[in-house]
């Protein structure tokens, strides 16, 4: 039998976090469902060996909230009737070990289930774990037996499971030093994880609460309503101090090869990325959810044709050890799409970019996204890294009210891959901290701005520019540009500005400023209030403008 312990008193039911109570249940594909007659069901504790357990068979007993799943498994085990303690006083891992066999669904009735050692099962064809009002209670770091990393290790990279289901569990980590990875899962064909609610900060410094990977390019997985809103502690403040860098990741999926969806997940402040799914070559889909205050990035995604759809990303708190809290970071892939994201950065302390397109991102599209930035330090909005590939930003709004920064910054590069901004609105009142005082800073060749509206005001005597271009072959078509300083500043070459409306808020200030480095700029059919200030540009063309 497992080790005895004092039954803890949980305050999880008193927490203010509002987790919806619905639990989605998805039947397996018809091709994977066996006929119901092959099912056996454990009603009484049967004598069993570890690997070749024989369960008592019954024609009845197939009832309960998960009975719709029973036909998918040869064996159904009620873990309490199998001998597991549901009061939280004795470890249940030995019971799980006794009944560990393939093609089995483990059912956890309402209760509290204490675990002080890892349950490991790899190379299986089909296994499931479902809870009906079940709460998992990890032992604290010092009492955990064996590797102090996980409760459930289900599949490994070199021996994954084929089909895995895990759903319907609360995890009580409110006691000190009980933070641990709840589930680490590798599945080749089908991975389903739903309704896992983690209460309490991950404070032991061990690996973060979830790791998920689909190992076959044709496999699919979903992680739905996996919630860890209390985040994780920095490792130096935990029993694992010195063992790893920074501390736990919220959810990790860096070896994914199939299609893996994260649906309506919730992650609080983790010291080493929130959702980190950037290094596999499969497809990652992030749909909805709330991601807050993590370091590195709150949502960090790569892969082939991955999508980030309708998430809420929020940075409104910075702890003493927090260093860089990017909103969304995309990298290591192609065809990555951000759609409908709502990103808010309002911490008064330094954080980082709201949305980063990294050097290893071969192509990306950002659309229908809303970014709001405020705070007493310098922060940038959308930043395109120098080696990033073709990037499109469309139907997007950026409101920028920080001490300085560029709402939209296309960093200097020798690459010729196009950056297109279309139907983009940039507004706000920001400072000039660090010398960052431009609404759009374009330092790359071959960029185009269609129907872009920029308003840049600075507090007090601070002047900001609407757009500064240092690249070549830039096209600005239509759009409205307003600023305290200059609406448009040119330092590059072979630029065309056409059908645009440019006006400074300063009385008498010109609409355009051309520096000596500017060559062959052309201004056609624009409204240029107070004209152009030319410090010695070469090859200037003007045609059919109004002043």
């Amino acid at each position: 039998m497992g080790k005895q312990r004092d039954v803890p008193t949980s305050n999880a039911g008193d927490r203010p976090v509002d987790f919806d109570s619905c639990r989605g249940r998805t039947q397996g594909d018809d091709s994977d469902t066996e006929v119901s007659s092959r099912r056996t069901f454990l009603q009484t504790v049967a004598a069993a060996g570890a690997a070749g357990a024989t369960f008592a068979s019954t024609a009845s007993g197939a009832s309960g909230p998960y009975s719709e799943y029973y036909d998918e498994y040869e064996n159904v085990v009620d873990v309490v009737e199998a001998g597991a303690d549901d009061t939280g006083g004795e470890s249940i891992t030995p019971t799980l070990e006794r009944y560990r066999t393939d093609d089995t669904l483990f059912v956890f009735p309402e209760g509290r289930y204490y675990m002080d050692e890892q349950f490991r099962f790899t190379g299986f064809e089909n296994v499931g774990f479902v809870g009906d009002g079940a709460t998992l209670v990890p032992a604290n770091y010092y009492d955990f037996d064996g590797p102090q990393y996980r409760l459930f290790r289900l599949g490994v990279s070199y021996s994954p499971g084929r089909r895995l289901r895990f759903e319907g569990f609360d995890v009580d980590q409110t006691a000190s030093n009980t933070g641990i990875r709840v589930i680490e899962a590798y599945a080749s064909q089908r991975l389903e994880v739903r309704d896992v609610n983690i209460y309490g900060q991950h404070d032991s410094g061990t690996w973060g609460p979830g790791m998920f990977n689909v190992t076959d390019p044709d496999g699919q997985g979903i992680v739905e309503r996996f919630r860890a809103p209390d985040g994780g502690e920095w490792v130096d403040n935990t029993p694992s101090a010195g063992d790893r860098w920074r501390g736990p990741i919220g959810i990790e999926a860096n070896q994914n090869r199939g299609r893996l969806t994260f649906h309506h997940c919730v992650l609080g402040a983790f010291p080493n990325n929130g959702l980190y799914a950037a290094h596999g070559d499969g497809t990652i889909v992030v749909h909805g959810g709330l991601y807050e205050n993590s370091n590195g990035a709150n949502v960090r995604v790569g892969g082939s044709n991955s999508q980030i759809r309708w998430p809420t990303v929020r940075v409104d708190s910075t702890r003493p050890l927090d260093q860089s809290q990017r909103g969304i970071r995309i990298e290591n892939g192609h065809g990555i799409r951000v759609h409908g994201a709502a990103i808010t950065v309002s911490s008064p302390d330094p954080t980082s970019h709201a949305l980063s397109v990294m050097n290893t991102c071969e192509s990306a599209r950002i659309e229908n996204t809303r970014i709001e930035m405020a705070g007493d330090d310098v922060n940038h909005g959308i930043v395109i890294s120098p080696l990033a590939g073709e990037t499109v930003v469309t139907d997007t709004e950026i409101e920028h009210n920080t001490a300085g920064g560029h709402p939209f910054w296309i960093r200097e590069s020798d690459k010729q891959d196009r950056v297109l901004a279309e139907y983009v609105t940039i507004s706000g009142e920001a400072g000039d901290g660090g010398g960052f005082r431009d609404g759009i800073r374009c330092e790359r060749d071959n960029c185009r701005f269609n129907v872009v509206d920029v308003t840049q005001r600075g507090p007090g005597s601070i002047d900001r520019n609407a757009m500064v271009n240092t690249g070549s072959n830039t096209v600005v078509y239509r759009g409205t540009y307003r600023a305290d300083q200059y609406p448009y500043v040119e330092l590059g070459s072979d630029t065309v500005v056409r059908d645009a409306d440019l006006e400074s808020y300063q009385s008498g200030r010109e609409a355009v400023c051309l520096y000596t480095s500017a060559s062959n700029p052309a201004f056609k059919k624009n409204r240029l209030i107070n004209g152009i200030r030319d410090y010695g540009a070469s090859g200037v063309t003007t045609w059919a403008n109004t002043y």
Side-chain angles (χ1 to χ4, degrees), residues 407-426:
F408 189 16
W409 187 7
I410 306 169
R411 298 190 61 184
E412 185 174 2
S413 174
D414 292 331
K415 288 182 71 73
Q416 296 298 309
D417 301 65
R418 183 183 66 164
V419 175
L420 169 64
E422 193 167 47
Y423 298 104
V424 173
T425 300
I426 297 172

Side-chain angles (χ1 to χ4, degrees), residues 234-247:
W234 281 79
V235 69
D236 288 346
N237 298 330
T238 74
S240 302
D243 287 352
R244 54 186 50 85
W245 184 59
R246 287 188 176 182

Side-chain angles (χ1 to χ4, degrees), residues 126-259:
N126 186 29
V127 70
F129 302 82
V130 293
D132 180 21
T135 298
L136 303 175
V137 184
N140 70 47
Y141 179 88
Y142 302 102
D143 293 336
F144 209 85
D145 189 13
Q148 296 157 305
Y149 305 137
R150 319 169 189 86
L151 296 184
F152 290 87
R153 190 179 195 189
L154 305 173
V156 291
S157 59
Y158 55 87
S159 182
R162 185 165 178 260
R163 290 178 292 174
L164 172 65
R165 168 177 282 121
F166 188 97
E167 64 180 81
F169 293 97
D170 289 344
V171 184
D172 185 354
Q173 295 184 168
T174 56
S176 296
N177 302 324
T178 56
I180 195 167
R181 177 163 290 171
V182 176
I183 174 175
E184 181 172 309
Y186 289 80
S188 61
Q189 183 191 64
R190 187 183 74 193
L191 171 65
E192 296 180 70
V193 177
R194 293 186 177 88
D195 297 299
V196 178
N197 299 317
I198 300 169
Y199 297 93
Q201 188 184 49
H202 192 291
D203 62 353
S204 66
T206 63
W207 294 331
M211 174 185 276
F212 309 100
N213 291 289
V214 177
T215 61
D216 191 298
D218 295 326
Q220 298 208 22
I222 184 167
V223 178
E224 187 170 26
R225 297 183 295 275
F226 187 97
R227 297 151 164 148
D230 295 321
E233 180 59 271
W234 281 79
V235 69
D236 288 346
N237 298 330
T238 74
S240 302
D243 287 352
R244 54 186 50 85
W245 184 59
R246 287 188 176 182
I249 296 167
I251 296 175
E252 185 174 357
N254 281 318
Q255 299 177 61
N256 177 65
R257 300 187 64 204
R259 182 180 179 89

Side-chain angles (χ1 to χ4, degrees), residues 365-371 381-382 384 391-400 406-410 419-427 439-441 448-456 466-467 476-482:
R365 182 179 180 89
I366 301 160
E367 61 187 4
N368 199 23
T369 289
R370 169 75 179 175
I371 296 172
I382 297 175
I384 314 296
T391 304
V392 175
V393 181
T394 184
D395 293 304
T396 289
E397 298 180 22
I398 306 172
E399 183 178 347
H400 186 254
H406 304 318
F408 189 16
W409 187 7
I410 306 169
V419 175
L420 169 64
E422 193 167 47
Y423 298 104
V424 173
T425 300
I426 297 172
S427 63
I440 297 175
R441 180 84 181 184
R448 184 178 179 104
F449 302 85
N450 294 339
V451 197
V452 173
D453 294 324
V454 184
T455 302
Q456 289 294 282
M467 178 172 176
V476 177
Y477 176 67
R478 294 174 61 189
T480 302
Y481 296 80
R482 300 281 188 270

